[in-house]
Amino acid sequence: MAATFAVVDDDLASQRMLADILNTRGDVIAEFSSGHEALRFFESGRRVDVCFIDLLMPDLSGIEVVEKVLSMFPETLFVMISQVEAKTLMAKAYTVGIEFFIHKPINRNEILAIAERVLEKQRLKSTLDQIEKSLAEIRALKPVKSYQPDEQIIKKRFQGIFADLGIVGETGSRELQAIVLRFKDHEEELVNLPLRSIYQAIAGNEEEIQSIEQRIRRVIKQALGNIALRGLEDFYDEYFERYASKYFDYAEVRDRVLELRQKRTSSARINIRKFLIALYMDVLHDI
C-alpha cells in the first residue's frame, strides 16, 4: 500500500511544490493552507502516514497543530518546514514530537530522502510492535517471574546499553533492537544463521535487507568509535572495560584506538555477530 501524505503550508507555491514531490513517493491525499483546516481534517477522524507542515502560519502555528494531532493520533509522523532558523522554535518543535525540521527553500532530493527515512522509521516501529505483541502473547502463557513486566525491563536495558555506547536514537539502533526481540528464545539461530537470514527476519521485503545491513554496520562502527575514544582517554574507563572486549574483537578496538590517536579515518573491521550476541545476552538474561 502506498504511503499517504498531507501538506500544510499557507504559501500556495510551496504547498504545490511539496505535493508534487511527495506524489512521486506516495499519495498526497490532503493539502491545506491553514492550521485550522488541517486540524479539522484530523478531528474528523481521518489520518495520514506523514504530514509535512509549515512552522509559522497566520491562524494556528505548525507546533500547535502537531501537539493537538499527536494527542489524537500519536502514530502520525510530522516533518516541519520553515524559513525560520530560530533555535528556540526548532527545539520546541522537536519537543512536541516532530521527526525532522527542514529549512526552506525546498529541495526535492532532501524532501524525498527525509520522507524515506520517516517511512522507514514507521515500518520498523510496526515490526517492533508486532514482535512485542507476539512476545506479550507468549508471556501470557508463562508464570510471572517479576513484579515488573518483561517489556519494561527489556526497554530499560536497551536504553541503558545504547546510552553507554553513545548510540541512543541513532539510525540502526532500532534494527539492533528488532533483531534481539525477533530471536528471543532462539539464541541458537542468532549464533548459527547467516547474517543475511538474520536481517531478512526483520525486513519487510528483499529490497530492505541491504539497507538494514548497512545501518547496523554503521551504528556498530559508531559504537566502536565511542568506546575506543573512551579507551584512548582512559584505559581504565568504566565503559571501556565493560564493553570493549565483550562487544568487539580485540583487534577492532586496538585498530580504532590507533586510528583515533593518529587522527585517521576509520577502516577497522567489525564483528557484527559478536556484537549482536553480546547485546542479546545483556538484554535478555534472566527474562
Side-chain angles (χ1 to χ4, degrees):
M1 182 181 296
T4 56
F5 300 97
V7 175
V8 188
D9 197 324
D10 60 321
D11 182 333
L12 294 180
S14 294
Q15 181 190 128
R16 188 67 260 158
M17 186 181 301
L18 271 171
D20 288 344
I21 294 170
L22 292 171
N23 269 323
T24 67
R25 179 61 185 80
D27 294 328
V28 177
I29 64 172
E31 298 178 49
F32 306 105
S33 300
S34 73
H36 280 304
E37 290 178 2
L39 192 56
R40 283 196 293 271
F41 170 84
F42 287 103
E43 286 176 339
S44 72
R46 288 173 288 179
R47 62 185 72 182
V48 294
D49 294 319
V50 186
C51 180
F52 282 71
I53 187 167
D54 193 14
L55 170 61
L56 298 179
M57 292 178 286
D59 61 338
L60 197 65
S61 75
I63 289 176
E64 291 173 296
V65 174
V66 171
E67 198 164 18
K68 292 178 184 293
V69 173
L70 288 180
S71 68
M72 297 183 286
F73 304 116
E75 70 279 6
T76 305
L77 303 175
F78 281 91
V79 177
M80 190 155 283
I81 50 176
S82 180
Q83 292 178 327
V84 175
E85 297 189 11
K87 292 184 178 179
T88 52
L89 286 176
M90 291 175 60
K92 174 64 175 175
Y94 278 109
T95 299
V96 299
I98 70 165
E99 302 297 325
F100 289 97
F101 195 106
I102 300 175
H103 295 290
K104 292 182 178 179
I106 293 169
N107 178 285
R108 176 186 177 84
N109 291 335
E110 182 182 21
I111 295 296
L112 289 175
I114 287 178
E116 182 56 38
R117 289 179 66 182
V118 171
L119 291 171
E120 177 64 19
K121 177 178 179 179
Q122 183 189 58
R123 288 192 292 268
L124 282 171
K125 184 179 184 302
S126 177
T127 300
L128 287 172
D129 288 344
Q130 291 175 5
I131 292 171
E132 289 176 359
K133 182 179 178 180
S134 298
L135 290 176
E137 293 172 354
I138 294 171
R139 282 192 295 271
L141 302 175
K142 294 181 178 180
V144 177
K145 295 181 291 183
S146 168
Y147 71 92
Q148 188 177 33
D150 287 351
E151 61 266 21
Q152 293 183 21
I153 299 173
I154 290 171
K155 183 177 181 180
K156 287 181 179 178
R157 287 178 180 174
F158 273 125
Q159 290 175 339
I161 293 168
F162 290 164
D164 290 348
L165 295 173
I167 57 173
V168 170
E170 294 294 334
T171 301
S173 59
R174 284 179 175 271
E175 284 88 344
L176 293 174
Q177 185 173 339
I179 287 173
V180 170
L181 294 176
R182 170 62 181 79
F183 288 93
K184 186 177 185 291
D185 300 323
H186 298 282
E187 182 184 349
E188 283 190 13
E189 293 184 11
L190 186 64
V191 172
N192 297 313
L193 279 177
L195 287 175
R196 180 178 176 82
S197 297
I198 292 173
Y199 304 145
Q200 189 174 26
I202 65 166
N205 53 59
E206 286 292 322
E207 289 72 24
E208 288 184 24
I209 295 176
Q210 184 175 357
S211 59
I212 288 173
E213 190 274 338
Q214 290 172 345
R215 287 192 292 271
I216 288 176
R217 183 175 297 277
R218 191 180 306 121
V219 79
I220 294 178
K221 289 192 75 170
Q222 183 175 344
L224 171 61
N226 293 337
I227 291 300
L229 183 59
R230 284 183 172 276
L232 178 64
E233 295 172 348
D234 178 5
F235 192 73
Y236 297 102
D237 176 87
E238 172 189 357
Y239 299 109
F240 183 78
E241 289 189 330
R242 184 186 307 167
Y243 294 104
S245 60
K246 186 174 185 179
Y247 279 68
F248 309 99
D249 287 340
Y250 171 77
E252 296 173 4
V253 180
R254 178 201 61 203
D255 291 347
R256 189 66 189 111
V257 169
L258 289 174
E259 288 168 348
L260 289 170
R261 184 174 294 147
Q262 297 168 8
K263 298 181 179 180
R264 291 189 285 115
T265 303
S266 175
S267 60
R269 298 176 63 84
I270 54 171
N271 187 335
I272 294 176
R273 192 183 302 275
K274 180 173 183 176
F275 187 98
L276 290 174
I277 293 172
L279 180 63
Y280 180 97
M281 298 300 295
D282 279 353
V283 170
L284 296 180
H285 70 84
D286 299 330
I287 295 297

